[in-house]
């Protein structure tokens, strides 16, 4: 009998390199889980990545669903009828509703491209984070994964990795360095969460 693996849903808005890392690590056996759904809030390259790997994907255009977007995501996860262990925000840029966050407490994980609590909050995402870090002449930056609470980037941190910022770094070069670490962090973070969940079951 084949083993029933924990299911994760991955929410995306962009290129999906973090999604690709999860896919690669599932395919090479490093992560013992399955992606039940890739859900995007806009048309993005991440959807193509899901399709290439035959993963169920759904586009819920935030412009169409507006403040009903979280309800719709919840509906899809419920319809799936299988327990969703974690919802991974991998470059997902819409704000989830309080109701959704409450329902999935400690199950929603976000990856952010800075050492939180620095450079988090409203308007701090993607390249904007790296621009601010360079502008402030920081000596280090990095990435953080954290549980999602009702604030923006304020939930309890799980793990982070530091990156040294060199004097000749640009926002683009820093983004590249941080993204490489994000891929390691996200894999290690998901692995740790799945192991904890497994230990809780036995
Ligand atoms: C990543 O750098 C991720 O940390 C960031 O968006 C990028 C998505 O890249 N997320 C945020 O800024 C959320 N506040 P990807 O689409 O290649 O995974």
């Amino acid at each position: 009998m084949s083993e029933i693996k924990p299911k994760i849903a991955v929410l995306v808005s962009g290129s999906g390199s973090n999604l690709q890392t999860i896919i690669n690590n599932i395919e090479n056996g490093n992560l013992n889980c399955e992606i039940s759904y890739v859900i995007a809030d806009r048309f993005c390259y991440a959807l193509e990545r899901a399709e290439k790997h035959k993963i169920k994907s759904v586009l819920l255009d935030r412009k169409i669903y507006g403040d009903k977007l979280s309800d719709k995501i919840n509906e899809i996860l419920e319809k799936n009828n299988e327990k969703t262990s974690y919802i991974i925000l991998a470059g997902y840029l819409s704000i989830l509703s309080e109701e959704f966050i409450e329902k999935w407490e400690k199950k929603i994980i976000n990856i952010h491209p800075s050492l939180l609590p620095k450079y988090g909050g409203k308007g701090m995402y993607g390249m904007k984070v790296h621009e601010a870090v360079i502008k402030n002449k920081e000596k280090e930056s990095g990435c953080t994964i954290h549980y999602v609470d009702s604030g923006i980037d304020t939930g309890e941190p799980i793990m982070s990795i530091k990156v040294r910022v060199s004097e000749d770094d640009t926002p683009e070069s820093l983004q590249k360095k941080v993204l490489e670490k994000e891929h390691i962090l996200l894999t290690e973070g998901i692995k740790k969460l799945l192991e904890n969940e497994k230990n809780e079951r036995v």
Side-chain angles (χ1 to χ4, degrees), residues 143-190:
C143 45
T144 309
I145 52 171
H146 64 95
Y147 292 106
V148 172
D149 68 7
S150 59
I152 302 178
D153 303 324
T154 53
E156 182 190 333
I158 300 167
M159 286 165 113
S160 65
I161 298 183
K162 287 183 183 169
V163 168
R164 224 170 60 83
V165 183
S166 333
E167 275 179 20
D168 57 358
D169 263 325
T170 60
E172 290 75 19
S173 67
L174 181 60
Q175 182 191 42
K176 194 163 173 273
K177 288 202 285 196
V178 171
L179 198 56
E180 275 172 23
K181 299 296 182 202
E182 284 186 43
H183 297 161
I184 298 168
L185 181 70
L186 191 58
T187 307
E188 290 312 306
I190 294 173

Side-chain angles (χ1 to χ4, degrees), residues 134-149:
I134 296 289
K135 191 168 170 229
N136 291 343
K137 300 192 182 333
E138 297 283 358
K139 295 269 180 289
E140 65 176 20
S141 188
C143 45
T144 309
I145 52 171
H146 64 95
Y147 292 106
V148 172
D149 68 7

Side-chain angles (χ1 to χ4, degrees), residues 12-20 46 49 89-93 110-114 119 121 124-127 129-130 143-144 146 152-153 175 178-179 182-183 186:
V12 291
S13 303
S15 133
S17 72
N18 277 296
L19 166 68
Q20 189 67 54
R49 294 186 194 263
L89 311 189
Y92 182 72
L93 297 178
N110 182 42
I111 182 153
H112 186 79
S114 76
Y119 301 100
M124 274 292 162
Y125 58 87
M127 192 59 92
V129 174
H130 306 301
C143 45
T144 309
H146 64 95
I152 302 178
D153 303 324
Q175 182 191 42
V178 171
L179 198 56
E182 284 186 43
H183 297 161
L186 191 58

